[in-house]
Each structure stands twice: as C-alpha cells, then as structure tokens.
Amino acid sequence: GRTGWWKLFKRELDDTWEGTVWTIHILLSLVPTAVLIFCSFFLSIALWRYGSNSSMVVHSSCLNPWFFLMFGTMALAIGQLFYETWYPITSNVGLLIYTITLLVLMREIDKDIIKTAEFTEFLKQVDLKGKMISVKNDANNDTDGSRHGSDNLQHINNNDKDNDTEEDKGLVLEKPKKEEIV
C-alpha cells in the first residue's frame, strides 16, 4: 500500500462512491499486515513467557532476549500508522526492525536448542553410569552387553576370595594403641 491507517480516519474526500472505493482499497491493503501484527503480538507474549519461565537459560529480568519480538511487533504496528508522506519510510523501517528482532529471537532459540541437547546428553550419561553402579540386577534391560549391578559385585567377590588375608576376613583384631599421659 501507499498509505497507513491514518488515511482511514482522516478522510479528505466526501462520502461519494469514489471515496468509499478508495477506503476499501486502503483497508484491504492494510489487512495482511494487521493480521501479521495480531498474530505476532500473541506469539511474542507466548515466547516471552516461555523464555522467562521454561527455557533452559532463564533470565532474571523480565526484559530479556525473548521479549525482543514484542519490540519488533510494536515497531511494525507503529510503522503502519502514518499518512502517505511518511508511510513508505515508516513501514519499511518497522518491517526492518521486526525482521532484526526475529533474527535475535532465532539466535536465542538456537542457544536453547543447544542447551537442551547438552542436557539430554548429560542425562543419558547419568543413566548409563547409574546402570553401571546399580546393585539391582536387571538382565532384561542389559542392552550394551556390559556387566551391571550385582554381576559386578559377584565378579569382584569371586576374584578376591582367594586373595583375602586373615585381616581382610576380619579374624585378626587390632591392638588398641596406648596414649601417652603427660
């Protein structure tokens, strides 16, 4: 379009048929951007709530990188308001700011995806280590062929039975040491 919402509210033409057609033309040219602003407004609120409460890196301030899309949405909306003289500049600047905030948000999403992958790998390692040191013998879940739980303890006990001395078996008691009294 060539003009923004201001033209709809400040009609210079009289109420003739030509003025009505011109108004409908302006309205139809502004509707796609209005739908984008409406959807982006709710999406930016949802992403801001996710980033403030549920993301892998939760920021302490409410003005965090997840809120940048709201600034872009407001810039896009403000850019659509002006009259014919300023509309080409303000609409393009608003769209540029909106695009930049989307790129900043995509960078934040990439960071969150990487942190999620790192945390998933950490949990897999914890699970593997837990299975390795578990006392519970669960032969049905032994998928990697390694010894788990009580198998490891039996293996250690069987190898050490022949090497145990009387002290290891607990048959020899240590003599208590006498303390010097001064």
Side-chain angles (χ1 to χ4, degrees):
R2 287 187 253 161
T3 187
W5 290 97
W6 189 262
K7 178 80 171 180
L8 288 176
F9 298 112
K10 288 283 193 171
R11 289 188 13 179
E12 296 173 359
L13 299 173
D14 55 359
D15 289 331
T16 62
W17 185 78
E18 289 178 5
T20 306
V21 172
W22 181 246
T23 304
I24 292 173
H25 172 69
I26 294 171
L27 183 64
L28 290 177
S29 69
L30 293 172
V31 165
T33 309
V35 170
L36 175 64
I37 292 168
F38 182 75
C39 293
S40 181
F41 176 73
F42 286 106
L43 180 65
S44 62
I45 289 173
L47 284 170
W48 174 64
R49 288 183 63 199
Y50 169 76
S52 297
N53 299 323
S54 304
S55 68
M56 294 301 287
V57 178
V58 178
H59 299 275
S60 61
S61 172
C62 63
L63 295 175
N64 54 46
W66 294 93
F67 192 69
F68 285 165
L69 187 59
M70 181 61 79
F71 293 128
T73 302
M74 287 188 288
L76 185 63
I78 291 170
Q80 296 294 312
L81 294 177
F82 290 92
Y83 203 65
E84 289 174 338
T85 310
W86 291 99
Y87 180 77
I89 295 169
T90 59
S91 66
N92 287 330
V93 168
L95 189 59
L96 180 65
I97 292 172
Y98 180 73
T99 305
I100 290 171
T101 57
L102 280 175
L103 293 174
V104 169
L105 183 64
M106 287 302 297
R107 186 169 175 228
E108 199 65 30
I109 291 171
D110 287 342
K111 282 194 256 182
D112 199 54
I113 289 172
I114 290 169
K115 292 292 183 189
T116 302
E118 289 174 359
F119 188 64
T120 302
E121 182 62 30
F122 169 74
L123 290 178
K124 285 180 184 176
Q125 294 298 323
V126 168
D127 180 48
L128 181 64
K129 187 58 77 174
K131 286 180 182 176
M132 289 174 63
I133 64 172
S134 174
V135 178
K136 184 183 195 182
N137 185 12
D138 193 4
N140 294 336
N141 292 334
D142 187 16
T143 57
D144 60 354
S146 63
R147 291 184 170 165
H148 296 296
S150 60
D151 289 342
N152 283 337
L153 293 176
Q154 288 175 354
H155 176 70
I156 292 170
N157 288 336
N158 289 339
N159 287 340
D160 289 343
K161 280 183 183 176
D162 300 331
N163 299 333
D164 286 347
T165 62
E166 289 184 2
E167 288 178 19
D168 292 335
K169 293 179 184 177
L171 299 176
V172 176
L173 298 174
E174 288 186 28
K175 296 180 182 177
K177 295 181 181 178
K178 294 182 181 178
E179 296 179 14
E180 295 181 14
I181 302 175
V182 179

